Amino acid sequence: MISLYGHPFSSYTWKAEIALHSCGIEYRLRQVDPGHPDNTAFVAEHGGPFAKFPVLEEEDGTIVFEASSIIEHLVATRPDAAHLIPADRALEIRNLDRVFDNYVMNVMNVAVLEQLRAPDAPDTARQDEVRAQLRRVYAWLEPKADALGRDPLTMADCAAAPALFYADWVEEIGPACPDLKALRERLNAMPEVRACIDAAYPFRQLFPLGAPDRD
Ligand SMILES: N[C@@H](CCC(=O)N[C@@H](CS)C(=O)NCC(=O)O)C(=O)O
């Protein structure tokens, strides 16, 4: 069986897991945490320059890191994964995938990392700046949101689901962006995404900014 090295609370692990679920591909999640030093060592060796997860390991020994590259690998190797990057929307899907990673997920992470760096005295100006950047990207995404999160899921949806799930905990999507809010709710209700939300539930107390009592 395929192995996916990652963690149930990790947004980028979700991204790969949502893609695997949407293709009906069975896999074993090898949890990367202090209790599993072998898995941590595997990621240290194969998780790219900064030893990040997720990392996919095929039965034939093929190893792929970076969530988007894992999805590209699935599309390249399995006919059942073609929906993830439909040929007639490939540029749009790849472009939105970059937007959700670079301008939602990674921006949101700045506020999270700042809280981890200085839990008692975070740089709140920096965190306010992150919230303003999120509001800006929410407004940019709003006119595109209604076309996203439709069955079957694409790579952009795989990126959008965890990015919007966690970003909304940092800066809630407001009434100015009803279609984006509806997209987040639509994605959260999809079985591929719900499985990740449920598996992450026991780890919510780890969210450095405090997880809200919803979702
Ligand atoms: N660009 C990477 C980002 C992966 C990433 O940031 N993973 C986080 C977990 S969500 C991680 O490995 N954190 C542990 C660490 O940085 O040591 C991807 O798309 O897979």
Side-chain angles (χ1 to χ4, degrees):
M1 192 187 289
I2 290 178
S3 289
L4 186 72
Y5 293 78
H7 192 280
F9 198 54
S10 138
S11 49
Y12 282 105
T13 303
W14 283 26
K15 180 173 164 181
E17 289 190 281
I18 292 164
L20 288 163
H21 290 313
S22 86
C23 301
I25 299 171
E26 287 192 27
Y27 64 96
R28 177 171 166 201
L29 182 66
R30 293 185 181 264
Q31 198 159 309
V32 179
D33 62 20
H36 299 85
D38 290 357
N39 297 345
T40 306
F42 187 92
V43 169
E45 186 173 357
H46 299 292
F50 289 175
K52 300 274 187 190
F53 45 85
V55 181
L56 182 95
E57 184 183 29
E58 294 267 23
E59 278 180 3
D60 69 1
T62 303
I63 294 170
V64 188
F65 71 96
E66 285 286 315
S68 295
S69 299
I70 290 170
I71 294 173
E72 294 273 3
H73 168 75
L74 296 178
V75 173
T77 55
R78 287 154 173 92
D80 288 354
H83 61 275
L84 291 167
I85 309 178
D88 58 342
R89 296 175 65 203
L91 178 61
E92 174 205 349
I93 295 305
R94 288 191 172 101
N95 185 239
L96 285 168
D97 174 68
R98 295 299 77 229
V99 170
F100 281 110
D101 275 16
N102 291 330
Y103 305 121
V104 183
M105 199 107 91
N106 294 349
V107 167
M108 176 268 299
N109 259 332
V110 171
V112 170
L113 292 175
E114 176 55 23
Q115 193 69 32
L116 282 173
R117 184 193 68 79
D120 297 327
D123 180 345
T124 52
R126 184 79 192 97
Q127 292 177 319
D128 286 346
E129 191 184 329
V130 164
R131 293 189 174 94
Q133 288 175 329
L134 287 175
R135 287 194 296 277
R136 184 171 171 182
V137 69
Y138 291 166
W140 189 91
L141 285 165
E142 174 64 11
K144 300 174 171 55
D146 192 52
L148 299 175
R150 304 289 175 188
D151 196 34
L153 294 176
T154 68
M155 177 165 69
D157 298 320
C158 297
L164 295 175
F165 183 86
Y166 287 116
D168 188 73
W169 284 7
V170 173
E171 175 64 14
E172 191 166 357
I173 300 167
C177 297
D179 285 355
L180 191 65
K181 202 172 185 66
L183 169 61
R184 181 178 184 272
E185 280 165 23
R186 194 158 63 244
L187 287 166
N188 287 355
M190 289 183 158
E192 297 92 332
V193 180
R194 197 69 236 172
C196 294
I197 295 172
D198 291 346
Y201 206 90
F203 301 97
R204 281 186 180 203
Q205 79 280 2
L206 296 178
F207 194 68
L209 290 158
D213 189 18
R214 55 186 165 85
D215 300 321

